[in-house]
Amino acid sequence: MAASMCDVFSFCVGVAGRARVAVEVRFVSSAKGKGLFATQLIRKGETIFVERPLVAAQFLWNALYRYRACDHCLRALEKAEENAQRLTGKPGQVLPHPELCAVRKDLHQNCPHCQVMYCSAECRLAAAEQYHQVLCPGPSQDDPLHPLNKLQEAWRSVHYPPETASIMLMARMVATVKQAKDKDRWIRLFSQFCNKTANEEEEIVHKLLGDKFKGQLELLRRLFTEALYEEALSQWFTPDGFRSLFALVGTNGQGIGTSSLSQWVHACDALELKPQDREQLDAFIDQLYKDIEAATGEFLNCEGSGLFVLQSCCNHSCVPNAETSFPENNFLLHVTALEDIKPGEEICISYLDCCQRERSRHSRHKILRENYLFVCSCPKCLAEADEPNVTSEEEEEEEEEEGEPEDAELGDEMTDV
């Protein structure tokens, strides 16, 4: 049951409000499946489209470690100064130019029943209308025996940081269908995401859950069924269907990162200052990030993932002509052209980060094969086809120092906000 592109564009335009119909989805090949193509000239630096996810959810360990985000759109809820104080471990940390912080605490609202927090009344109402009526635990929010809390605890026990997915993304998919008046429309939208063979699905689940994945997957399926069973989605609750759902989220989930501190830094960069004042502010920010790295390491953002219909149609290239970002400090994804894109040209993003894209063809293929189960045939990979299929000594040394960096996230690269 496939959704028409009318369904897809209607959702993207109606909900995100700013999708530009300058693209179309086409079948590429049996190996690549669908692809996203330009229907008119798109200039370098132009926003191709802005898309809201069908569903999104913050990672569970990220939330447990007090990265406070809107429960619906993942907008960071801490003031930039509060964010800096927590990340540096310095309660007295003060930021200059506090007026540049965009967080509006006066707009924050919580669910009156379970107290989860939202950045605005709009997000609270949107969550309630789409899925939260089903998922709201009410006064049992902290009850470890509540079915949803048992499910979340089981997930945290098998999927540790750095996180790449969340069982609650799947829960919100089910809850959305349970609450929907037009259940078939939502099922069609979710069916847009790429499917894998049974063996490929097992590889993805293995990657997410580790060597004991079969037993862990069955435990999660049982708890998921107890908490959320829905007759209209009965196939999702069978062993094969649950594995497929798991693989769908693992393959298509786009990482989302938000940060009030990052937004403050971007606002500081835009200030018109005297050279001496600019130098002092830049030095302050550089030292701030050094302090954060010493205290917190690489975990700077509120992190989660979402399912984006149009973005999921963008195939990978090691020389992408577009990139994803979250400049609005919430779950609205912007796809921006990195170069001029001609009508009829495929729009490609990269599933690898900047450092990974500079590695050898062999190393790039290893990452993509392990995490996305395909072999890249982009222009860069074809041009380097005669290179030896070995990892260079420098890269091997990097792997030893960094702890196997080719374990890329299952989901596209999480872009800095």
Side-chain angles (χ1 to χ4, degrees):
M1 184 161 40
S4 68
M5 285 313 298
C6 181
D7 277 333
V8 173
F9 280 117
S10 174
F11 181 87
C12 294
V13 175
V15 182
R18 283 164 288 161
R20 172 190 172 193
V21 186
V23 298
E24 65 179 7
V25 177
R26 299 181 193 166
F27 177 77
V28 179
S29 67
S30 56
K32 294 181 72 172
K34 296 176 293 187
L36 197 66
F37 292 79
T39 58
Q40 61 190 64
L41 177 64
I42 301 171
R43 295 293 186 186
K44 178 180 178 179
E46 189 174 349
T47 299
I48 303 170
F49 62 86
V50 178
E51 184 178 10
R52 172 186 165 174
L54 298 183
V55 287
Q58 187 177 7
F59 293 148
L60 292 179
W61 280 105
N62 189 259
L64 191 67
Y65 284 139
R66 297 186 299 116
Y67 288 76
R68 295 178 53 231
C70 174
D71 197 59
H72 183 63
C73 78
L74 274 69
R75 183 184 298 278
L77 297 178
E78 290 178 306
K79 287 278 191 179
E81 190 167 272
E82 293 174 321
N83 194 198
Q85 290 168 351
R86 178 173 57 79
L87 293 176
T88 59
K90 298 178 179 180
Q93 177 71 63
V94 176
L95 297 185
H97 302 289
E99 73 280 0
L100 298 180
C101 176
V103 175
R104 291 282 307 277
K105 287 198 169 188
D106 56 309
L107 299 180
H108 295 178
Q109 293 193 5
N110 56 14
C111 169
H113 307 294
C114 69
Q115 307 307 311
V116 298
M117 190 65 69
Y118 299 97
C119 67
S120 63
E122 289 79 9
C123 275
R124 179 178 63 80
L125 292 172
E129 289 176 3
Q130 184 178 337
Y131 56 80
H132 190 65
Q133 293 176 50
V134 168
L135 296 179
C136 181
S140 300
Q141 171 75 355
D142 298 319
D143 180 1
L145 298 180
H146 188 279
L148 280 174
N149 289 336
K150 289 167 64 178
L151 177 65
Q152 292 178 73
E153 181 57 34
W155 175 258
R156 281 192 293 264
S157 72
V158 299
H159 189 68
Y160 294 96
E163 298 170 273
T164 57
S166 173
I167 196 76
M168 292 311 292
L169 195 63
M170 298 162 60
R172 289 187 179 183
M173 292 171 69
V174 173
T176 294
V177 175
K178 287 174 78 78
Q179 280 191 213
K181 294 179 180 178
D182 187 352
K183 298 182 189 299
D184 287 343
R185 173 175 176 267
W186 280 99
I187 294 172
R188 288 196 303 272
L189 285 167
F190 288 133
S191 74
Q192 285 290 296
F193 297 97
C194 72
N195 296 311
K196 300 292 184 182
T197 66
N199 287 339
E200 289 174 329
E201 288 173 354
E202 285 215 349
E203 288 187 53
I204 295 165
V205 175
H206 185 185
K207 187 75 177 178
L208 283 170
L209 299 183
D211 291 337
K212 299 179 181 179
F213 72 93
K214 290 186 178 179
Q216 292 167 341
L217 188 66
E218 179 55 28
L219 170 63
L220 290 170
R221 187 186 71 85
R222 180 173 58 79
L223 293 172
F224 194 77
T225 302
E226 290 175 3
L228 294 162
Y229 184 77
E230 164 61 37
E231 184 63 34
L233 298 169
S234 58
Q235 175 58 29
W236 285 7
F237 295 88
T238 66
D240 287 348
F242 188 66
R243 183 193 61 212
S244 296
L245 182 63
F246 216 94
L248 181 153
V249 169
T251 305
N252 295 281
Q254 160 71 48
I256 299 170
T258 65
S259 167
S260 55
L261 180 60
S262 176
Q263 293 286 295
W264 175 82
V265 170
H266 287 317
C268 286
D269 290 342
L271 286 175
E272 294 185 5
L273 300 173
K274 296 178 182 178
Q276 183 178 354
D277 293 338
R278 168 56 62 192
E279 186 176 340
Q280 289 178 346
L281 181 57
D282 288 348
F284 173 86
I285 292 172
D286 288 344
Q287 185 59 50
L288 178 65
Y289 275 113
K290 289 177 182 177
D291 293 343
I292 290 173
E293 184 177 9
T296 310
E298 62 184 24
F299 298 103
L300 304 183
N301 297 337
C302 299
E303 296 181 353
S305 63
L307 293 177
F308 298 83
V309 176
L310 288 181
Q311 175 273 336
S312 72
C313 296
C314 293
N315 286 310
H316 164 82
S317 173
C318 297
V319 281
N321 57 12
E323 66 178 357
T324 60
S325 63
F326 297 90
E328 299 186 49
N329 195 33
N330 61 12
F331 63 13
L332 288 180
L333 177 142
H334 290 229
V335 176
T336 306
L338 294 173
E339 59 188 53
D340 287 355
I341 303 173
K342 298 176 183 177
E345 187 176 349
E346 185 173 6
I347 297 166
C348 293
I349 59 177
S350 180
Y351 301 171
L352 306 176
D353 64 32
C354 295
C355 294
Q356 291 167 336
R357 290 200 295 273
E358 296 306 313
R359 300 180 67 176
S360 68
R361 174 179 177 271
H362 174 70
S363 294
R364 298 196 307 273
H365 279 204
K366 187 168 184 279
I367 298 169
L368 294 167
R369 189 168 55 249
E370 289 181 357
N371 292 282
Y372 302 97
L373 311 181
F374 72 87
V375 176
C376 183
S377 58
C378 73
K380 182 175 182 178
C381 287
L382 292 177
E384 297 173 355
D386 293 333
E387 287 188 357
N389 287 329
V390 293
T391 303
S392 68
E393 290 183 9
E394 287 185 5
E395 289 179 339
E396 287 176 351
E397 290 174 1
E398 288 176 6
E399 288 175 16
E400 290 177 4
E401 292 174 2
E402 299 176 15
E404 298 184 358
E406 63 263 296
D407 283 347
E409 290 187 351
L410 284 170
D412 296 331
E413 175 189 353
M414 183 177 297
T415 310
D416 290 338
V417 292

PDB file of all heavy atoms in Angstrom, residues 303-326:
ATOM      1  N   GLU A 303      19.578  15.239  21.621  1.00  0.00           N
ATOM      2  CA  GLU A 303      19.661  14.370  20.452  1.00  0.00           C
ATOM      3  C   GLU A 303      18.463  13.438  20.363  1.00  0.00           C
ATOM      4  O   GLU A 303      17.944  12.962  21.376  1.00  0.00           O
ATOM      5  CB  GLU A 303      20.947  13.532  20.495  1.00  0.00           C
ATOM      6  CG  GLU A 303      22.211  14.357  20.413  1.00  0.00           C
ATOM      7  CD  GLU A 303      23.455  13.490  20.437  1.00  0.00           C
ATOM      8  OE1 GLU A 303      23.334  12.269  20.639  1.00  0.00           O
ATOM      9  OE2 GLU A 303      24.555  14.051  20.263  1.00  0.00           O
ATOM     10  N   GLY A 304      18.050  13.189  19.149  1.00  0.00           N
ATOM     11  CA  GLY A 304      16.968  12.254  18.891  1.00  0.00           C
ATOM     12  C   GLY A 304      16.998  11.869  17.425  1.00  0.00           C
ATOM     13  O   GLY A 304      18.003  12.076  16.732  1.00  0.00           O
ATOM     14  N   SER A 305      15.904  11.321  16.949  1.00  0.00           N
ATOM     15  CA  SER A 305      15.818  10.978  15.529  1.00  0.00           C
ATOM     16  C   SER A 305      14.373  11.107  15.071  1.00  0.00           C
ATOM     17  O   SER A 305      13.441  11.126  15.887  1.00  0.00           O
ATOM     18  CB  SER A 305      16.337   9.561  15.264  1.00  0.00           C
ATOM     19  OG  SER A 305      15.548   8.598  15.937  1.00  0.00           O
ATOM     20  N   GLY A 306      14.205  11.199  13.757  1.00  0.00           N
ATOM     21  CA  GLY A 306      12.872  11.335  13.186  1.00  0.00           C
ATOM     22  C   GLY A 306      12.798  10.636  11.843  1.00  0.00           C
ATOM     23  O   GLY A 306      13.821  10.292  11.236  1.00  0.00           O
ATOM     24  N   LEU A 307      11.583  10.444  11.377  1.00  0.00           N
ATOM     25  CA  LEU A 307      11.343   9.851  10.064  1.00  0.00           C
ATOM     26  C   LEU A 307      10.842  10.937   9.123  1.00  0.00           C
ATOM     27  O   LEU A 307       9.759  11.500   9.330  1.00  0.00           O
ATOM     28  CB  LEU A 307      10.308   8.726  10.166  1.00  0.00           C
ATOM     29  CG  LEU A 307      10.728   7.474  10.949  1.00  0.00           C
ATOM     30  CD1 LEU A 307       9.563   6.482  11.013  1.00  0.00           C
ATOM     31  CD2 LEU A 307      11.950   6.821  10.322  1.00  0.00           C
ATOM     32  N   PHE A 308      11.640  11.238   8.105  1.00  0.00           N
ATOM     33  CA  PHE A 308      11.333  12.292   7.131  1.00  0.00           C
ATOM     34  C   PHE A 308      11.101  11.636   5.777  1.00  0.00           C
ATOM     35  O   PHE A 308      12.002  10.983   5.240  1.00  0.00           O
ATOM     36  CB  PHE A 308      12.482  13.283   7.036  1.00  0.00           C
ATOM     37  CG  PHE A 308      12.788  14.030   8.308  1.00  0.00           C
ATOM     38  CD1 PHE A 308      13.585  13.458   9.288  1.00  0.00           C
ATOM     39  CD2 PHE A 308      12.281  15.303   8.522  1.00  0.00           C
ATOM     40  CE1 PHE A 308      13.883  14.147  10.461  1.00  0.00           C
ATOM     41  CE2 PHE A 308      12.565  15.997   9.692  1.00  0.00           C
ATOM     42  CZ  PHE A 308      13.371  15.421  10.666  1.00  0.00           C
ATOM     43  N   VAL A 309       9.924  11.826   5.202  1.00  0.00           N
ATOM     44  CA  VAL A 309       9.578  11.133   3.964  1.00  0.00           C
ATOM     45  C   VAL A 309      10.452  11.579   2.794  1.00  0.00           C
ATOM     46  O   VAL A 309      11.067  10.753   2.107  1.00  0.00           O
ATOM     47  CB  VAL A 309       8.088  11.342   3.618  1.00  0.00           C
ATOM     48  CG1 VAL A 309       7.760  10.691   2.281  1.00  0.00           C
ATOM     49  CG2 VAL A 309       7.204  10.749   4.704  1.00  0.00           C
ATOM     50  N   LEU A 310      10.527  12.887   2.534  1.00  0.00           N
ATOM     51  CA  LEU A 310      11.307  13.356   1.395  1.00  0.00           C
ATOM     52  C   LEU A 310      12.802  13.145   1.601  1.00  0.00           C
ATOM     53  O   LEU A 310      13.511  12.678   0.703  1.00  0.00           O
ATOM     54  CB  LEU A 310      11.022  14.836   1.127  1.00  0.00           C
ATOM     55  CG  LEU A 310       9.662  15.182   0.536  1.00  0.00           C
ATOM     56  CD1 LEU A 310       9.562  16.687   0.315  1.00  0.00           C
ATOM     57  CD2 LEU A 310       9.435  14.446  -0.772  1.00  0.00           C
ATOM     58  N   GLN A 311      13.298  13.492   2.784  1.00  0.00           N
ATOM     59  CA  GLN A 311      14.730  13.329   3.046  1.00  0.00           C
ATOM     60  C   GLN A 311      15.146  11.874   2.902  1.00  0.00           C
ATOM     61  O   GLN A 311      16.248  11.583   2.417  1.00  0.00           O
ATOM     62  CB  GLN A 311      15.050  13.855   4.447  1.00  0.00           C
ATOM     63  CG  GLN A 311      16.480  13.642   4.916  1.00  0.00           C
ATOM     64  CD  GLN A 311      16.671  12.289   5.579  1.00  0.00           C
ATOM     65  OE1 GLN A 311      15.726  11.689   6.092  1.00  0.00           O
ATOM     66  NE2 GLN A 311      17.899  11.811   5.568  1.00  0.00           N
ATOM     67  N   SER A 312      14.284  10.940   3.281  1.00  0.00           N
ATOM     68  CA  SER A 312      14.636   9.519   3.194  1.00  0.00           C
ATOM     69  C   SER A 312      14.768   9.059   1.745  1.00  0.00           C
ATOM     70  O   SER A 312      15.350   8.003   1.478  1.00  0.00           O
ATOM     71  CB  SER A 312      13.592   8.659   3.914  1.00  0.00           C
ATOM     72  OG  SER A 312      12.377   8.607   3.182  1.00  0.00           O
ATOM     73  N   CYS A 313      14.239   9.851   0.797  1.00  0.00           N
ATOM     74  CA  CYS A 313      14.381   9.516  -0.622  1.00  0.00           C
ATOM     75  C   CYS A 313      15.708   9.992  -1.191  1.00  0.00           C
ATOM     76  O   CYS A 313      16.043   9.653  -2.336  1.00  0.00           O
ATOM     77  CB  CYS A 313      13.238  10.139  -1.428  1.00  0.00           C
ATOM     78  SG  CYS A 313      11.603   9.507  -1.010  1.00  0.00           S
ATOM     79  N   CYS A 314      16.455  10.787  -0.431  1.00  0.00           N
ATOM     80  CA  CYS A 314      17.746  11.277  -0.904  1.00  0.00           C
ATOM     81  C   CYS A 314      18.785  10.169  -0.772  1.00  0.00           C
ATOM     82  O   CYS A 314      19.064   9.701   0.340  1.00  0.00           O
ATOM     83  CB  CYS A 314      18.199  12.489  -0.094  1.00  0.00           C
ATOM     84  SG  CYS A 314      17.192  13.962  -0.296  1.00  0.00           S
ATOM     85  N   ASN A 315      19.358   9.756  -1.882  1.00  0.00           N
ATOM     86  CA  ASN A 315      20.411   8.743  -1.851  1.00  0.00           C
ATOM     87  C   ASN A 315      21.738   9.354  -1.427  1.00  0.00           C
ATOM     88  O   ASN A 315      21.924  10.573  -1.427  1.00  0.00           O
ATOM     89  CB  ASN A 315      20.534   8.074  -3.221  1.00  0.00           C
ATOM     90  CG  ASN A 315      19.382   7.119  -3.477  1.00  0.00           C
ATOM     91  OD1 ASN A 315      19.067   6.270  -2.658  1.00  0.00           O
ATOM     92  ND2 ASN A 315      18.735   7.258  -4.636  1.00  0.00           N
ATOM     93  N   HIS A 316      22.675   8.462  -1.098  1.00  0.00           N
ATOM     94  CA  HIS A 316      23.999   8.876  -0.636  1.00  0.00           C
ATOM     95  C   HIS A 316      24.944   9.136  -1.795  1.00  0.00           C
ATOM     96  O   HIS A 316      24.883   8.475  -2.838  1.00  0.00           O
ATOM     97  CB  HIS A 316      24.605   7.782   0.250  1.00  0.00           C
ATOM     98  CG  HIS A 316      26.082   7.934   0.450  1.00  0.00           C
ATOM     99  ND1 HIS A 316      26.624   8.787   1.386  1.00  0.00           N
ATOM    100  CD2 HIS A 316      27.131   7.372  -0.212  1.00  0.00           C
ATOM    101  CE1 HIS A 316      27.946   8.728   1.301  1.00  0.00           C
ATOM    102  NE2 HIS A 316      28.285   7.875   0.359  1.00  0.00           N
ATOM    103  N   SER A 317      25.841  10.092  -1.585  1.00  0.00           N
ATOM    104  CA  SER A 317      26.996  10.274  -2.460  1.00  0.00           C
ATOM    105  C   SER A 317      28.165  10.719  -1.591  1.00  0.00           C
ATOM    106  O   SER A 317      27.974  11.472  -0.622  1.00  0.00           O
ATOM    107  CB  SER A 317      26.731  11.324  -3.542  1.00  0.00           C
ATOM    108  OG  SER A 317      27.926  11.591  -4.276  1.00  0.00           O
ATOM    109  N   CYS A 318      29.357  10.252  -1.910  1.00  0.00           N
ATOM    110  CA  CYS A 318      30.553  10.710  -1.196  1.00  0.00           C
ATOM    111  C   CYS A 318      30.939  12.123  -1.628  1.00  0.00           C
ATOM    112  O   CYS A 318      31.819  12.746  -1.017  1.00  0.00           O
ATOM    113  CB  CYS A 318      31.707   9.743  -1.427  1.00  0.00           C
ATOM    114  SG  CYS A 318      31.408   8.076  -0.780  1.00  0.00           S
ATOM    115  N   VAL A 319      30.311  12.623  -2.703  1.00  0.00           N
ATOM    116  CA  VAL A 319      30.454  14.023  -3.131  1.00  0.00           C
ATOM    117  C   VAL A 319      29.043  14.600  -3.255  1.00  0.00           C
ATOM    118  O   VAL A 319      28.532  14.818  -4.349  1.00  0.00           O
ATOM    119  CB  VAL A 319      31.234  14.150  -4.454  1.00  0.00           C
ATOM    120  CG1 VAL A 319      32.712  14.026  -4.214  1.00  0.00           C
ATOM    121  CG2 VAL A 319      30.780  13.104  -5.470  1.00  0.00           C
ATOM    122  N   PRO A 320      28.381  14.845  -2.117  1.00  0.00           N
ATOM    123  CA  PRO A 320      26.975  15.267  -2.143  1.00  0.00           C
ATOM    124  C   PRO A 320      26.794  16.649  -2.747  1.00  0.00           C
ATOM    125  O   PRO A 320      27.693  17.494  -2.687  1.00  0.00           O
ATOM    126  CB  PRO A 320      26.595  15.265  -0.654  1.00  0.00           C
ATOM    127  CG  PRO A 320      27.892  15.552   0.053  1.00  0.00           C
ATOM    128  CD  PRO A 320      28.939  14.824  -0.757  1.00  0.00           C
ATOM    129  N   ASN A 321      25.613  16.875  -3.321  1.00  0.00           N
ATOM    130  CA  ASN A 321      25.287  18.213  -3.822  1.00  0.00           C
ATOM    131  C   ASN A 321      24.285  18.922  -2.920  1.00  0.00           C
ATOM    132  O   ASN A 321      23.805  20.012  -3.239  1.00  0.00           O
ATOM    133  CB  ASN A 321      24.773  18.162  -5.267  1.00  0.00           C
ATOM    134  CG  ASN A 321      23.547  17.269  -5.430  1.00  0.00           C
ATOM    135  OD1 ASN A 321      22.931  16.847  -4.444  1.00  0.00           O
ATOM    136  ND2 ASN A 321      23.192  16.968  -6.678  1.00  0.00           N
ATOM    137  N   ALA A 322      23.955  18.291  -1.781  1.00  0.00           N
ATOM    138  CA  ALA A 322      23.039  18.896  -0.804  1.00  0.00           C
ATOM    139  C   ALA A 322      23.405  18.407   0.587  1.00  0.00           C
ATOM    140  O   ALA A 322      24.091  17.384   0.748  1.00  0.00           O
ATOM    141  CB  ALA A 322      21.592  18.538  -1.140  1.00  0.00           C
ATOM    142  N   GLU A 323      22.957  19.125   1.594  1.00  0.00           N
ATOM    143  CA  GLU A 323      23.216  18.728   2.975  1.00  0.00           C
ATOM    144  C   GLU A 323      21.990  19.022   3.837  1.00  0.00           C
ATOM    145  O   GLU A 323      21.162  19.873   3.496  1.00  0.00           O
ATOM    146  CB  GLU A 323      24.438  19.448   3.551  1.00  0.00           C
ATOM    147  CG  GLU A 323      24.257  20.954   3.714  1.00  0.00           C
ATOM    148  CD  GLU A 323      25.456  21.638   4.338  1.00  0.00           C
ATOM    149  OE1 GLU A 323      26.423  20.931   4.693  1.00  0.00           O
ATOM    150  OE2 GLU A 323      25.432  22.880   4.463  1.00  0.00           O
ATOM    151  N   THR A 324      21.888  18.299   4.955  1.00  0.00           N
ATOM    152  CA  THR A 324      20.787  18.500   5.897  1.00  0.00           C
ATOM    153  C   THR A 324      21.276  19.290   7.105  1.00  0.00           C
ATOM    154  O   THR A 324      22.452  19.207   7.492  1.00  0.00           O
ATOM    155  CB  THR A 324      20.217  17.160   6.381  1.00  0.00           C
ATOM    156  OG1 THR A 324      21.253  16.410   7.046  1.00  0.00           O
ATOM    157  CG2 THR A 324      19.675  16.344   5.219  1.00  0.00           C
ATOM    158  N   SER A 325      20.381  20.053   7.709  1.00  0.00           N
ATOM    159  CA  SER A 325      20.710  20.785   8.939  1.00  0.00           C
ATOM    160  C   SER A 325      19.418  21.106   9.677  1.00  0.00           C
ATOM    161  O   SER A 325      18.312  20.948   9.144  1.00  0.00           O
ATOM    162  CB  SER A 325      21.479  22.076   8.621  1.00  0.00           C
ATOM    163  OG  SER A 325      20.676  22.958   7.845  1.00  0.00           O
ATOM    164  N   PHE A 326      19.578  21.570  10.929  1.00  0.00           N
ATOM    165  CA  PHE A 326      18.429  21.927  11.767  1.00  0.00           C
ATOM    166  C   PHE A 326      18.641  23.333  12.338  1.00  0.00           C
ATOM    167  O   PHE A 326      18.808  23.516  13.548  1.00  0.00           O
ATOM    168  CB  PHE A 326      18.254  20.899  12.894  1.00  0.00           C
ATOM    169  CG  PHE A 326      17.944  19.516  12.394  1.00  0.00           C
ATOM    170  CD1 PHE A 326      18.960  18.616  12.120  1.00  0.00           C
ATOM    171  CD2 PHE A 326      16.630  19.138  12.172  1.00  0.00           C
ATOM    172  CE1 PHE A 326      18.675  17.349  11.632  1.00  0.00           C
ATOM    173  CE2 PHE A 326      16.331  17.875  11.686  1.00  0.00           C
ATOM    174  CZ  PHE A 326      17.366  16.981  11.406  1.00  0.00           C
TER     175      PHE A 326
END
